[in-house]
Amino acid sequence: MSGYGATFATMQALGLLPMKAENPAYVRAEQGSGKGTKLVVVGAGVAGLCTAYEAKKLGYEVTLLEAGNRPGGRVWSGRNGDVVEFEDGTKQTIEWTKGLYQNMGAGRLPSIHGTTLGYVRQFNIPMEIEVNTSRSTFLQNDHINGGKPYAQRKVINDSRGHVSELLSKAVAGGGFDQEFSTDDKKRLMDFLSYYGPLDKAGKYKGSDRADLKQYPGAGPQDMIVNEDTIPLDTILKANFLGYEMYEEAWDWQATMFQPKGGMDAIPYAFAKALGPVLHLNSPVTAIAKTGKGVTVTYLKEGKETHITADYCVSAMPLTILRKIKVDLDPAHQDAVTKASYRGSYKIAWEGPRFWEKDFNIYGGLSFLSQGPSPLWYPSADIFSDRGILVAGYQDESIDRFQTMTLPQMFARSRGSVERLHPGHGDKLEKPIFVGWKRMKWYEGSWIGAQPAAEYDVMNQPDGPIYFAGDAMSHVVGWQEGAFLSGIRALQMINDKVKSA
Amino acid sequence: MSGYGATFATMQALGLLPMKAENPAYVRAEQGSGKGTKLVVVGAGVAGLCTAYEAKKLGYEVTLLEAGNRPGGRVWSGRNGDVVEFEDGTKQTIEWTKGLYQNMGAGRLPSIHGTTLGYVRQFNIPMEIEVNTSRSTFLQNDHINGGKPYAQRKVINDSRGHVSELLSKAVAGGGFDQEFSTDDKKRLMDFLSYYGPLDKAGKYKGSDRADLKQYPGAGPQDMIVNEDTIPLDTILKANFLGYEMYEEAWDWQATMFQPKGGMDAIPYAFAKALGPVLHLNSPVTAIAKTGKGVTVTYLKEGKETHITADYCVSAMPLTILRKIKVDLDPAHQDAVTKASYRGSYKIAWEGPRFWEKDFNIYGGLSFLSQGPSPLWYPSADIFSDRGILVAGYQDESIDRFQTMTLPQMFARSRGSVERLHPGHGDKLEKPIFVGWKRMKWYEGSWIGAQPAAEYDVMNQPDGPIYFAGDAMSHVVGWQEGAFLSGIRALQMINDKVKSA
């Protein structure tokens, strides 16, 4: 931890500062401190874009080289005409109706990712709410309830109801007489009675939070609660808990956001600010240490081109870095070689918004215990006619996609939709499969479990070569981690330049 | 319950139909069945607008009379230049920056209000998400934690943690050995361990869901959970539970919506469709039964004007109806006289969005246990510079506003902001107080508790006079109730016309 960070954390521990994650991280440096220093950044994902952008602001002479034909890396929104290209040459062209899109990589921003939101503010990127939790979404398990899905509201509220009933029973039965006073017991019982909610006998018999048999209406039509709750035994066997608690993960809690029109508004804002610093279609083939710095070799219109610099920041996925000829010391070489990336995918379909009109589902995620899961409903353009539905967003290995053809994967994905929305699966069309482990220039969704020693090595420079990307952070799989790692790499370089 | 409704409910009870609240209610009638029948609707709140709109579609000769200068009633969005007029003559003019607005009455739509959303679809009203739950919002009580607010994420997750720990202890201590098998106990313990979450010793020691001492970052900066949880004893005494469970109320659950640019987009869409049927600035002074129908007297440019019709639907608040000379039978007269309306208010301020930038709060509500509460943060135009913040939205009686001047109320409201956002209260300006009990033409926010007999009377016609409005529904205080009551009133009229 840096000195600043340590002091900050100590002050927080003492209660002197509120926990304000919205404070963006910045490079602490004097204006113009990069003047006369040459820097090459490799990879125009958000880590590379941010590194180059901050370096340019400090006066560095920066070149940002990107192998592909667009900035953003895994922060990419697919639209009509876009081509998805796998490393093995497989190509898919997106044919969705114009105006529709899907964030095929990064898809949401939490309100506590302060550095990311700091850039959103700097670039004035128009934002909207991303719905990560909707009580109308489903939880489903083939072996539970005859395979029929439950609404999330029922699972979550029935779970709390049963837990409250059991604890109420234990308290009433004298189980806590030793530790609680009569007053405390009374308060706890009152709490559980509302928390459950429980009836006067301490029983949980459903509630309007969980399920209604009849909605209240005009005239005589009053609310009727469905007292037929999911039995505790079923909840325990259904293995839904991970889905129930999903909304409480610290970086998935409401409120979440998305840029209007697609997540790639963020990288495109950086690209615009960088102007000619960014070179697309410029795959790097080698990074050599020169003693005074680095020589980076890349292909420019197919021709080998060399560029020398004082420092290089590799912001490529380690899966790509290891395919390039780079002068790495043994420790870095070892960590790069061993890095194991995950193979998360998304399958996205165009269709009419039956999930809104027929199922009250506006954004949020439905989870299945088998087959492609979850279904992720669009938060953009709610109430419009058509939308892009994600049916399957997890690691390929879970669905054994490695053994399947694209049509087989699509059939499985449609099957998941049909399980939750019977009779509607056939309305979906133009599926696109983006398996990040197969994607050209990426070959991985994010880094998997890694020994701490390898993580620590990659977070230190190898001579003039520094490493950035979410893999060099404890915020793996998020833009926040990529930004913070880019800022950290540049901070290390700048501190070195200053002390030189 | 109507025949159709009964069959539908039975089918649902048998599990034959999913609970689909999105099905809009419609008047069941043949095309043109209103031809040759004259109808006067009094009051152009959403109940009156909907009644007139549906009647017009069926061929009725409809007149809709509205006392005020705009349609929508309590569905009203305040904007620059609008005048808030109380019954006692007090006037406030809204001076907020152009483009800013606040929904001073109805402010959110749940995704299960199918009839309301049916109209949203019919009229193609552009919608956006209304954030009703944000984990970064606050819960505060002057007598707890030295008056300092807790983030909602901490209260909610610490509550669950303590409950889980206690139940886990009871199970481990043998409290449920009689009723659970060893396998079931194991499953329940595993469930609680994740639900809490609990450590291996079954203790709740905070979690990343509740509170972090340090956010994870790049390089060595890893996450540090704050193990300093809110003691159970404090949670029980803080009286926060109503606020914690707020998001689970059936009609406050995510996903919720608001029309882009203001809730009054809904009434204005009806008004546009009604065209010359709607007469503004036309206060009704009398409704007389004629034997063949009704004569309605109203003021047109200050002059008494009479209109005869076969039927009249009174869609006024009962507080206004009872000030008018109406031929009501004793039962209706009694129910109208006794109707007791609530005095909910909103105080709204313009200010820079410090709640977003400095507190990570984007939409949602913070609750205080004393003083004007809650703070309701805008969901519209997040990340923009300025916004309208509601500080106080509850019944006037709770804050004893009856005894205060406007400046005193505003000082109290600002005080609530300062309690939650110290140092920021002074940034707010141009406050507006809309106390619905004082509002000209309304004199109430919604109906309070009412004996069932009086409710039943008002839901039956008095000769040719029918009653509509959310007060004639079990969905009080919601547009859904108003729409359903209007549709029901027209259904009764149409059934009578048909049988005549």
Side-chain angles (χ1 to χ4, degrees), chain A residues 21-22 107-114 116-117 120-121 127-134 246-259 263 364-365 376 379 478, chain B residues 128-138 151-153 156-157 209 215 247 254-256 258 353 355-357 359-366 375-383:
Chain A
E22 74 292 342
R108 48 193 159 189
L109 296 171
S111 41
I112 36 70
H113 278 180
T116 311
L117 298 187
V120 160
R121 287 209 161 78
M127 301 294 282
E128 65 189 1
I129 306 298
E130 190 272 339
V131 178
N132 212 43
T133 293
S134 172
Y246 180 81
E247 70 188 41
E248 297 293 358
W250 75 283
D251 41 13
W252 282 337
Q253 289 177 347
T255 309
M256 300 195 78
F257 315 107
Q258 58 187 20
M263 190 61 84
L365 298 96
W376 190 350
S379 297
W478 290 97
Chain B
E128 64 189 2
I129 306 298
E130 190 272 337
V131 178
N132 212 43
T133 294
S134 173
R135 285 285 180 266
S136 299
T137 56
F138 292 124
Q152 197 211 59
R153 63 168 56 82
I156 285 184
N157 286 294
R209 300 168 187 163
Y215 280 85
E247 69 189 41
T255 310
M256 301 195 77
Q258 58 188 20
R353 294 183 182 236
W355 53 89
E356 295 186 356
K357 218 170 161 186
F359 297 87
N360 296 328
I361 296 175
Y362 299 82
L365 299 96
S366 288
L375 264 60
W376 189 350
Y377 308 92
S379 297
D381 300 316
I382 49 167
F383 288 90

Side-chain angles (χ1 to χ4, degrees), chain B residues 342 371 394-402 412:
Chain B
R342 306 294 299 150
Q394 56 191 3
D395 206 86
E396 281 196 40
S397 58
I398 297 171
D399 292 309
R400 280 172 294 172
F401 275 180
Q402 302 94 323
R412 299 261 300 152

Side-chain angles (χ1 to χ4, degrees), chain A residues 16 45 64 112 142 198 207 242 257 268-269 272 288 355 385 478 485:
Chain A
L16 302 178
L64 173 56
I112 36 70
D142 279 356
L198 308 179
S207 80
F257 315 107
Y268 278 103
K272 193 179 165 193
W355 53 88
D385 285 342
W478 290 97
S485 80

